[in-house]
Amino acid sequence: MKRLMLFIPLVVFFGMGVLFWVGLGQEDKSVLPSPLIGKPFPQFILNTVESGESLNHLPQEAVLVNVWATWCPTCKAEHEFLNALAQQGVKIVGINYKDDDFKARQWLKAYGNPYLFNIADPDGQLGLELGVYGAPETFLVDSQGIIRGKHVGDLNARVWEKLQPQFEALK
Amino acid sequence: MTEWYGMVPEFGQLALIFALLVSVLQVVIPLLGVRNSQDWLMAYARPLASAQAVFLLISLAILTYCFVVDDFSVAYVAKNSNTALPTPFKVSAVWGAHEGSLLLWVTLLGCWGLAVSLFSRSLPLDMVARVLSIMGMVSVGFILFTLETSNPFERSLPSVPSEGADLNPLLQDFGLIVHPPTLYMGYVGLSVAFAFALAALMGGRLDAAWARWSRPWTTAAWIFLTVGIALGSWWAYYELGWGGWWFWDPVENASLMPWLVATALLHSLAVTEKRGLFKSWTVLLAIFAFSLSLLGTFLVRSGVLTSVHAFASDPERGIFILALLGICVGGSLLLYALKAPTVASVGRYEWVSRESFMLLNNLLLVVAAFAILLGTLYPLVIDFFGMGKISVGASWFNTMFVPLSVLLALIIGPGALSRWKADELKRIGGQTVAAAIISLLLAFAVPLLHGGDMNWQVFLGIAVALWLITVTLTDVWKKCRGQLSRIPSLGLSFQGMVLAHIGVAITIIGVAMVANYSEEKAARMAPGDIETLGAYQFEFVQAGHIEGPNFVSDAARFRVTKDGKEISLLTPEKRRYNARGQIMTEAAIDVSLFRDVYISMGEPLDNGAWGMRLQVKPFMRWVWLGAIFMSLGGALAMADKRYRRRKTLQEANA
């Protein structure tokens, strides 16, 4: 009996191991539960980067809202993938976060423009309301303008594999 | 034509590969020697361990060099540094992210191996061979992990970025230069105690000598862990900008759990050394302590739990560490289950005795560690059963941890003055009556004098802390029989213990005071505005800009006065780091022994006004001062002469 007791730590550890194993298989943890999920996209009146016209709503369809900036190296790494997504017909709205319109236009000319349009957020006001803490970040917004998901960090094939079903479901 | 210096990063990688090969030899050769009783094979353990450490140090030095010279062809450097980054931060950026910090981790492991091979003259050769072989196994696992999934020397050729992405601004700070290496020293140092325990299990010699060898190593690791945790807490306090110093974040818990178990291990080792008891339990604690530090590594790096500290997570890495964890912990627990019965403890003790107190101490510490483990893993369990995502708040940890600490603080004093084998409650009671009365009276007085009304939490905290101090001092008084000149002759171990226990009391006082008497105010302030908080006036004198090497900031100049007298000029900042555009709050703090005045800038409002957060935190420093006392106590205990006796042991084993 006492002999068997000695195996208890091993058994408990084994149980924890299984738990971790399953935990690892779970979806990407960088899909942080954001308090904004399920809430409407914050209101804004801002200009577009492309034409400077004033804008106060998102298109009424499921879109990705991608927060980016020219000062952000990861955004550059991400850009190619966004171009590919746009070609597949994914609708992406950009928020040019704490950036310069001129630089942003040059960037879009140089690397291609995957965005329907870009909202200029030079003071980071909209970013603040969205709880952005670093670019790039991407929000999944449905046709009613409700935020359904959020990803922190760059979008890439691995991340998209997980986000795509969620995004398709919004359509 | 390639210049040789263009290949420096490859040399780093090569050194790492050599370290791996050497550590494989370090596992195999000494064990073969033990198995066939060949001294000359066992004797390879020391030089191999030293060689491994040297190769790892070379590798780490080369990575540091790549950072200092801005070699952005190395992907890890490009991701975590920038030409504008000041050089000290370029050095600390080496361990600013996953790959480099892992290299630091294995290098420190190698250094502990080196230390064991240098300071193990008094040990029998087969013991050294086993210990170093086991440490070699851990090295093999983690160097493989580094090379396989997280190579810091990976190049981004041929398109070399002209500028790096910069180090996360949160980490651009003195606290972060020192905090991770110290903490890792602690984590990794526990591998020595672990290796000693396993070696003793394998050899079937769990005796007083083993406990004596193991003790100073455990203490050393424990000191690093103590300092590392305190540094982390201090860093969070001034760098995160909201004045909190402990968040029960999974990563903090990951460091606290091994600390609690290592503390239990220290005490249990004392019993094993002095009385030959608790052997099997001590071995288990040594395994637990290192397992928990591995678990911490796993939790931080696998992305299993979300945390503010989380490294870029990658499921592939997670699986690798999980496998390592499984082999290391599972293997040692299996060895324990199979071999532990062979080492029965002999000797008896009464209900009232120092052994009982130590047992109680161990129980409380382990239960506390277990409660934290439960709280940390609970979200994972809930997720596992598909009941949604939750996070366990600080309240769970506080309700578990506070009562356990109070109980622990109550028994520390009497435990230290009790006798081995058998004691009488009457004797212990007689010695501590005065202490009890004094601490109760003072504990009543403190909240009444400081806060003006009765606060039972403060009362409780102060009462147990004063009880701990007064009982400890009573013990010193009795042991030196009323003559303070005898204190030096009481022995370093004893003095160290006294210092460490008083350190615990100091921390408790700090926690009780700062948790209950902190004052805080969030105010809208424009230049010229004055706000009052407690006895202090905060005048917003001036707003301005500061240009740093790689950031620009909005700054506010504050004059803090008390009773019309100027206390200090404080300049909190809101920094924007150029490379990533990240915004950081730099709090300004006026520090003194009995209170901290803390100002941090919030958001800019209209008309040049800012949201300001003003705080007065009494006894804040005591929380960390206690940790300093504890680690000094540990250092004294380590310096005790009896760990440095050489000849006698060798003769005994001849």
Side-chain angles (χ1 to χ4, degrees):
Chain A
M1 193 57 217
K2 204 183 163 216
R3 189 108 180 70
L4 285 179
M5 300 254 289
L6 292 171
F7 284 89
I8 292 174
L10 187 63
V11 173
V12 172
F13 171 72
F14 186 75
M16 277 170 54
V18 171
L19 191 66
F20 291 146
W21 177 262
V22 176
L24 278 177
Q26 297 280 324
E27 78 271 33
D28 199 326
K29 290 297 188 290
S30 51
V31 185
L32 281 173
S34 156
L36 284 170
I37 287 171
K39 301 258 169 65
F41 196 81
Q43 300 202 331
F44 61 91
I45 305 177
L46 291 165
N47 302 331
T48 62
V49 171
E50 289 86 348
S51 62
E53 67 187 296
S54 163
L55 190 80
N56 63 1
H57 61 87
L58 294 176
Q60 284 165 349
E61 54 190 325
V63 288
L64 293 180
V65 177
N66 175 254
V67 182
W68 65 280
T70 56
W71 45 259
C72 149
T74 319
C75 298
K76 192 172 166 206
E78 180 191 51
H79 204 80
E80 263 317 294
F81 188 73
L82 293 182
N83 283 336
L85 278 186
Q87 275 184 357
Q88 291 167 29
V90 176
K91 303 272 186 344
I92 310 173
V93 172
I95 296 181
N96 186 229
Y97 178 60
K98 298 193 178 179
D99 205 357
D100 182 76
D101 281 2
F102 179 70
K103 278 192 196 164
R105 279 194 292 269
Q106 292 228 304
W107 161 297
L108 293 172
K109 216 180 278 170
Y111 304 122
N113 188 347
Y115 304 103
L116 296 177
F117 55 84
N118 276 284
I119 304 169
D121 185 20
D123 306 323
Q125 213 180 327
L126 182 57
L128 187 74
E129 289 189 54
L130 281 168
V132 170
Y133 53 71
E137 282 187 22
T138 303
F139 294 85
L140 280 65
V141 182
D142 71 8
S143 54
Q144 311 299 312
I146 309 288
I147 298 176
R148 293 298 176 189
K150 174 185 181 182
H151 175 79
V152 180
D154 62 323
L155 284 185
N156 50 44
R158 190 161 57 84
V159 172
W160 184 243
E161 216 169 274
K162 284 164 187 160
L163 288 181
Q164 192 174 18
Q166 201 189 344
F167 185 69
E168 295 296 327
L170 296 181
K171 282 187 176 169
Chain B
M1 199 180 87
T2 10
E3 308 281 349
W4 68 271
Y5 52 80
M7 288 172 58
V8 167
E10 275 66 40
F11 288 127
Q13 178 157 1
L14 206 59
L16 199 55
I17 293 171
F18 278 134
L20 177 66
L21 297 177
V22 171
S23 59
V24 170
L25 295 179
Q26 185 188 331
V27 172
V28 178
I29 296 178
L31 269 197
L32 271 181
V34 171
R35 200 166 152 194
N36 305 323
S37 315
Q38 299 282 330
D39 278 4
W40 67 276
L41 283 176
M42 292 192 246
Y44 270 107
R46 287 194 182 106
L48 283 172
S50 314
Q52 188 210 338
V54 169
F55 281 123
L56 286 170
L57 283 169
I58 291 175
S59 176
L60 187 69
I62 289 178
L63 185 61
T64 314
Y65 169 81
C66 293
F67 267 94
V68 172
V69 301
D70 297 318
D71 186 346
F72 295 132
S73 71
V74 178
Y76 180 71
V77 178
K79 256 185 243 161
N80 295 290
S81 186
N82 187 284
T83 45
L85 196 65
T87 306
F89 294 143
K90 281 182 184 165
V91 175
S92 70
V94 170
W95 51 82
H98 168 77
E99 288 86 348
S101 67
L102 197 63
L103 182 62
L104 179 70
W105 202 99
V106 289
T107 308
L108 293 176
L109 183 61
C111 291
W112 279 101
L114 177 68
V116 170
S117 64
L118 288 179
F119 302 110
S120 60
R121 306 265 164 67
S122 63
L123 261 60
L125 192 58
D126 63 326
M127 190 77 180
V128 177
R130 285 200 183 95
V131 166
L132 287 176
S133 165
I134 290 163
M135 292 184 71
M137 293 178 200
V138 181
S139 285
V140 171
F142 277 87
I143 299 177
L144 254 183
F145 177 49
T146 314
L147 282 170
E148 201 50 43
T149 70
S150 341
N151 187 351
F153 296 106
E154 210 155 81
R155 301 271 212 149
S156 55
L157 295 173
S159 61
V160 176
S162 58
E163 183 56 286
D166 206 4
L167 177 64
N168 182 348
L170 264 181
L171 311 183
Q172 293 186 25
D173 175 80
F174 171 76
L176 201 93
I177 300 183
V178 287
H179 162 61
T182 322
L183 197 60
Y184 287 4
M185 276 300 274
Y187 278 156
V188 179
L190 288 175
S191 70
V192 184
F194 170 81
F196 267 102
L198 287 198
L201 265 185
M202 285 159 75
R205 47 181 303 174
L206 290 166
D207 46 18
W210 154 67
R212 185 162 52 239
W213 297 325
S214 185
R215 263 181 99 177
W217 295 103
T218 313
T219 313
W222 177 85
I223 293 171
F224 280 112
L225 212 49
T226 311
V227 176
I229 294 173
L231 281 173
S233 152
W234 174 63
W235 170 75
Y237 170 75
Y238 71 77
E239 186 69 21
L240 293 183
W242 65 86
W245 50 275
W246 194 263
F247 305 99
W248 296 111
D249 176 270
V251 175
E252 286 173 331
N253 294 345
S255 66
L256 189 60
M257 289 188 286
W259 185 83
L260 290 168
V261 175
T263 313
L265 175 62
L266 281 182
H267 291 86
S268 167
L269 274 171
V271 181
T272 308
E273 185 198 341
K274 299 277 185 195
R275 299 274 298 122
L277 294 165
F278 299 180
K279 287 173 186 167
S280 167
W281 173 242
T282 306
V283 171
L284 197 58
L285 281 180
I287 297 176
F288 279 167
F290 186 56
S291 305
L292 284 171
S293 66
L294 287 185
L295 184 73
T297 313
F298 170 73
L299 290 182
V300 182
R301 290 158 198 278
S302 64
V304 155
L305 292 169
T306 358
S307 146
V308 289
H309 290 71
F311 288 90
S313 55
D314 178 344
E316 216 172 288
R317 282 176 195 158
I319 288 174
F320 205 120
I321 310 188
L322 187 59
L324 274 182
L325 199 68
I327 295 168
C328 194
V329 183
S332 52
L333 287 176
L334 184 66
L335 183 71
Y336 172 79
L338 296 174
K339 293 282 248 181
T342 57
V343 285
S345 290
V346 283
R348 300 239 149 261
Y349 54 95
E350 299 291 320
W351 270 104
V352 182
S353 63
R354 187 181 279 202
E355 287 91 329
S356 297
F357 276 110
M358 294 289 222
L359 196 62
L360 200 55
N361 143 306
N362 271 228
L363 219 59
L364 288 171
L365 285 166
V366 171
V367 168
F370 188 70
I372 295 174
L373 183 66
L374 221 57
T376 312
L377 298 185
Y378 188 66
L380 205 61
V381 178
I382 292 294
D383 209 7
F384 177 70
F385 291 108
M387 293 188 279
K389 283 191 189 298
I390 58 140
S391 62
V392 175
S395 63
W396 152 267
F397 293 106
N398 287 333
T399 26
M400 294 307 292
F401 197 67
V402 172
L404 289 169
S405 329
V406 167
L407 282 178
L408 191 61
L410 284 177
I411 65 159
I412 291 176
L417 63 70
S418 63
R419 290 180 179 144
W420 293 109
K421 261 178 163 174
D423 205 328
E424 284 164 32
L425 277 183
K426 226 180 179 176
R427 191 190 74 88
I428 300 176
Q431 289 204 357
T432 55
V433 171
I437 295 173
I438 293 174
S439 45
L440 278 177
L441 285 179
L442 282 174
F444 267 113
V446 168
L448 290 176
L449 290 178
H450 197 280
D453 56 357
M454 201 55 212
N455 180 328
W456 291 104
Q457 286 186 17
V458 178
F459 166 77
L460 190 65
I462 301 293
V464 294
L466 289 177
W467 160 255
L468 207 175
I469 294 176
T470 45
V471 173
T472 305
L473 292 181
T474 312
D475 188 28
V476 174
W477 185 253
K478 297 275 178 202
K479 293 233 160 79
C480 66
R481 278 166 278 147
Q483 286 178 353
L484 294 180
S485 57
R486 288 211 186 104
I487 288 181
S489 63
L490 290 177
L492 287 174
S493 274
F494 179 76
Q495 291 158 3
M497 177 193 79
V498 167
L499 215 55
H501 285 172
I502 288 181
V504 175
I506 292 176
T507 298
I508 294 176
I509 294 176
V511 172
M513 295 299 277
V514 82
N516 286 287
Y517 290 132
S518 286
E519 292 176 284
E520 184 180 336
K521 189 176 200 173
R524 176 188 194 280
M525 294 181 82
D529 285 355
I530 299 180
E531 287 284 341
T532 306
L533 178 65
Y536 298 89
Q537 278 83 43
F538 295 79
E539 185 190 352
F540 187 171
V541 184
Q542 196 187 355
H545 288 274
I546 296 177
E547 292 258 344
N550 55 345
F551 61 85
V552 286
S553 65
D554 290 310
R557 172 66 53 82
F558 270 85
R559 182 181 294 125
V560 182
T561 53
K562 185 185 183 185
D563 306 327
K565 265 198 306 192
E566 182 175 312
I567 306 271
S568 71
L569 278 175
L570 291 175
T571 315
E573 292 172 48
K574 195 91 179 170
R575 284 186 188 165
R576 174 172 170 174
Y577 283 81
N578 304 333
R580 296 189 185 188
Q582 222 159 341
I583 306 284
M584 288 287 309
T585 303
E586 286 289 307
I589 310 169
D590 182 53
V591 173
S592 81
L593 186 57
F594 293 105
R595 58 110 193 95
D596 277 16
V597 174
Y598 190 109
I599 307 179
S600 51
M601 286 175 90
E603 295 305 316
L605 306 171
D606 46 349
N607 300 331
W610 286 82
M612 292 287 177
R613 206 178 163 95
L614 314 172
Q615 301 184 63
V616 177
K617 305 180 85 72
F619 287 75
M620 189 63 236
R621 298 288 135 183
W622 289 48
V623 174
W624 305 306
L625 190 65
I628 295 175
F629 268 69
M630 287 183 232
S631 29
L632 283 179
L636 277 189
M638 253 180 83
D640 198 294
K641 282 200 291 284
R642 73 174 187 286
Y643 299 125
R644 277 172 286 134
R645 255 183 275 148
R646 288 183 184 171
K647 288 282 166 339
T648 44
L649 277 171
Q650 271 171 358
E651 281 155 22
N653 288 309

